Amino acid sequence: MALGGLLIGMTGPLSAETLRSSLARAYAGNPDLNQSRAAVRVRDEDAPKALAGMRPKANIQASAGPQYANLRFPGGRNPDTGKRQYTIEEYTGWPRGTTLNLQQNIFDGNRTENSVKQAESNIFAARATMRLTEQAILQNGATAYMNVLRDTAVMNLRKNNIAVLEQQLKQTRDRFQVGEVTRTDVAQAEASLAQSRSEFYAAQAQLKNSIANYRQIIGDEPKNLQPGASVEPLLPKSLNDSIQIALVEHPGVVSALHQVDAAELAVKVAESALMPNLSVNAQVSNQYDSFLGIPGTRQFSALAAAQLNIPLYQGGAEYASIRQAKEQVGQARLNADLQRDSVRASVVSSYGLLETAKASIISGQAAVKAAETALAGVREEAKVGQRTTLDVLNAQQALLNARVSLVISQRDRVVASYAVLGSIGRLSAQELDLNVSLYDPAIHYEQVKTKWWGTDTPDGR
């Protein structure tokens, strides 16, 4: 339901800004949301890092440098003295060489397999967290939009009230001149006008604050805002249906459940420290002047071997890690329960606010109509002396308050409808059918998950 005539659009260029176009701009350019998307892309790289555990590893080692040697060799005994004789050689060589090492894990206790699954669960949790940020931005954007509309309407109402009270003061002074009213009536009219101007300045300040919040979330100044519309047609038929949907679809619950999966896989990763490891290693080496630094010597070697490592006892740290991981599983499950309870309470609360706003609109419309009728009657009675100036001013203030309350209720209905949609986990650009290119986090993940090498990101950085 679009807001009624009290929430008039802001003056500005002919091009109209709607609530959905503003939300589309926030979806595409809000820094907080873009930062959350970047965080998911960062998390995507955990998958290829985990896959590296079963990929071959290769490296080349090279060395070179001068070496001085002074060698003394026994050469028998002197026939005359019987003392041992020695042969001394002195030379400077340049030992140098290269070694190629290759390693391929055959079995690592399923550490890599479980690490990959754990990385994927963490990625899915990060995506759900990103959805939470998207919901918050869209809800805050709708709130900021409606706040600008509300405060614009309130400011205009208070501005119009100043004009009405100025006319009322003029009429009161004219009647005072002819002796129909007293100086007290004039003072009352003057006081009401002064109070109205003070309220107008406060409304101006509030509008500036709302415009600043709008600029922060949407990314542009509000111009020619059109009346906002509730998203009640997108809501489930009942509160119970909403709760059931929220317990399954809300990003907070989804993220918590993926965190439980990641914690359970962390236990298996920790348990792999107790499993045997089997790998195949190969080495090719070519060395020059390497034998005691003697110039001209050369050594070539090649080695291939299987290596089996069976852990027996490593100080007990691995057992502590397993116990710790199991406790973290329990913590993650409790967090999932907490998220479900929080989501359920949010759905009930937001539905209550929506119903209250809808009821307030009905009563507010009746109040405005009654206040208009009362003001017209008081003014007519005041003309024949049956009502005082204070009665007219009070009736005028009552009408103003009724109109302001109606504006606030209309704003609250739209904001509450977005809050309900967010509480069940369906506040998204796709659900709102925003005119934007939807961000798909799976695209980046598919681009990097099996990448073997390269330092450039998929977007070329």
Side-chain angles (χ1 to χ4, degrees):
M1 174 181 177
L3 290 183
L6 289 179
L7 288 191
I8 59 176
M10 298 182 64
T11 59
L14 293 178
S15 58
E17 185 78 62
T18 65
L19 177 52
R20 295 200 176 193
S21 65
S22 295
L23 295 181
R25 183 178 289 110
Y27 178 84
N30 184 272
D32 191 14
L33 183 52
N34 286 331
Q35 181 270 341
S36 182
R37 292 165 180 163
V40 175
R41 294 194 294 271
V42 171
R43 183 63 66 183
D44 287 344
E45 297 292 349
D46 287 342
K49 285 170 63 177
L51 282 168
M54 291 300 288
R55 289 175 178 171
K57 298 173 178 60
N59 67 80
I60 294 178
Q61 295 176 330
S63 63
Q67 179 177 343
Y68 168 78
N70 187 317
L71 303 178
R72 189 174 72 164
F73 299 96
R77 295 182 180 273
N78 188 305
D80 296 328
T81 64
K83 292 183 177 180
R84 184 176 295 279
Q85 300 181 110
Y86 295 92
T87 300
I88 297 177
E89 292 189 16
E90 213 175 44
Y91 53 85
T92 300
W94 193 270
R96 59 201 182 278
T98 57
T99 301
L100 171 63
N101 295 295
L102 299 173
Q103 180 182 9
Q104 174 62 60
N105 283 335
I106 304 301
F107 179 73
D108 64 353
N110 295 322
R111 180 181 185 87
T112 297
E113 178 184 356
N114 290 317
S115 294
V116 171
K117 293 179 180 178
Q118 181 186 22
E120 290 176 342
S121 293
N122 285 327
I123 290 169
F124 295 147
R127 292 182 186 178
T129 301
M130 181 193 70
R131 281 277 295 109
L132 276 176
T133 303
E134 177 185 341
Q135 287 204 153
I137 294 303
L138 294 177
Q139 184 173 338
N140 292 341
T143 301
Y145 185 101
M146 297 308 302
N147 285 349
V148 172
L149 278 182
R150 176 200 62 193
D151 295 338
T152 301
V154 170
M155 187 188 70
N156 289 336
L157 286 172
R158 298 200 181 282
K159 182 179 180 180
N160 293 337
N161 190 52
I162 291 176
V164 171
L165 292 178
E166 286 176 341
Q167 183 64 28
Q168 180 70 36
L169 177 59
K170 181 179 180 301
Q171 294 176 355
T172 304
R173 284 172 175 170
D174 291 342
R175 296 178 64 190
F176 174 71
Q177 294 296 329
V178 297
E180 293 183 1
V181 296
T182 66
R183 182 61 189 173
T184 301
D185 295 300
V186 175
Q188 289 171 338
E190 290 174 343
S192 294
L193 178 58
Q195 179 64 30
S196 180
R197 285 172 176 163
S198 176
E199 293 172 348
F200 172 74
Y201 298 141
Q204 277 188 322
Q206 179 62 39
L207 176 58
K208 290 179 180 179
N209 182 65
S210 295
I211 289 175
N213 290 336
Y214 179 97
R215 174 66 177 80
Q216 179 182 5
I217 298 171
I218 305 300
D220 198 4
E221 297 294 330
K223 299 175 182 177
N224 196 24
L225 301 188
Q226 299 304 298
S230 169
V231 291
E232 291 170 61
L234 301 178
L235 301 181
K237 295 181 179 179
S238 68
L239 174 60
N240 288 335
D241 290 344
S242 297
I243 293 175
Q244 295 303 317
I245 292 172
L247 294 178
V248 176
E249 297 185 13
H250 194 277
V253 174
V254 174
S255 177
L257 293 177
H258 284 305
Q259 289 170 0
V260 171
D261 294 339
E264 290 175 343
L265 289 163
V267 174
K268 296 182 179 179
V269 172
E271 290 173 342
S272 67
L274 304 178
M275 303 289 286
N277 292 277
L278 177 63
S279 64
V280 175
N281 304 301
Q283 184 181 84
V284 177
S285 178
N286 199 8
Q287 306 290 330
Y288 295 88
D289 295 0
S290 60
F291 181 72
L292 300 178
I294 299 175
T297 60
R298 177 178 178 271
Q299 178 183 355
F300 175 82
S301 64
L303 170 69
Q307 181 177 339
L308 177 64
N309 178 36
I310 302 177
L312 297 178
Y313 183 72
Q314 304 169 75
E318 66 278 19
Y319 299 107
S321 296
I322 293 171
R323 295 193 302 270
Q324 184 182 52
K326 289 180 178 179
E327 292 295 345
Q328 289 172 339
V329 171
Q331 181 183 13
R333 288 172 177 164
L334 292 173
N335 179 61
D337 292 338
L338 177 64
Q339 290 299 319
R340 291 190 186 97
D341 291 341
S342 176
V343 166
R344 180 190 297 272
S346 178
V347 172
V348 175
S349 175
S350 57
Y351 255 99
L353 293 175
L354 178 60
E355 294 302 321
T356 299
K358 290 164 66 176
S360 296
I361 289 176
I362 295 175
S363 60
Q365 290 170 337
V368 168
K369 185 176 181 180
E372 290 174 342
T373 302
L375 177 59
V378 170
R379 282 175 175 170
E380 291 299 321
E381 292 171 0
K383 291 179 181 179
V384 296
Q386 295 180 347
R387 292 283 185 170
T388 66
T389 300
L390 181 58
D391 293 331
V392 176
L393 295 174
N394 288 339
Q396 175 65 30
Q397 186 64 38
L399 176 58
L400 174 63
N401 292 340
R403 285 174 173 170
V404 170
S405 296
L406 179 57
V407 167
I408 293 174
S409 298
Q410 290 172 323
R411 171 264 182 199
D412 290 347
R413 179 177 185 176
V414 176
V415 171
S417 69
Y418 276 84
V420 172
L421 193 61
S423 69
I424 64 176
R426 289 186 173 179
L427 181 54
S428 65
Q430 182 175 7
E431 188 73 17
L432 296 176
D433 194 25
L434 301 183
N435 186 24
V436 292
S437 297
L438 297 177
Y439 180 79
D440 185 1
I443 294 177
H444 180 268
Y445 177 65
E446 294 297 328
Q447 291 172 332
V448 302
K449 74 173 183 178
T450 57
K451 199 169 184 178
W452 281 61
W453 55 72
T455 59
D456 291 341
T457 60
D459 60 3
R461 288 176 292 158

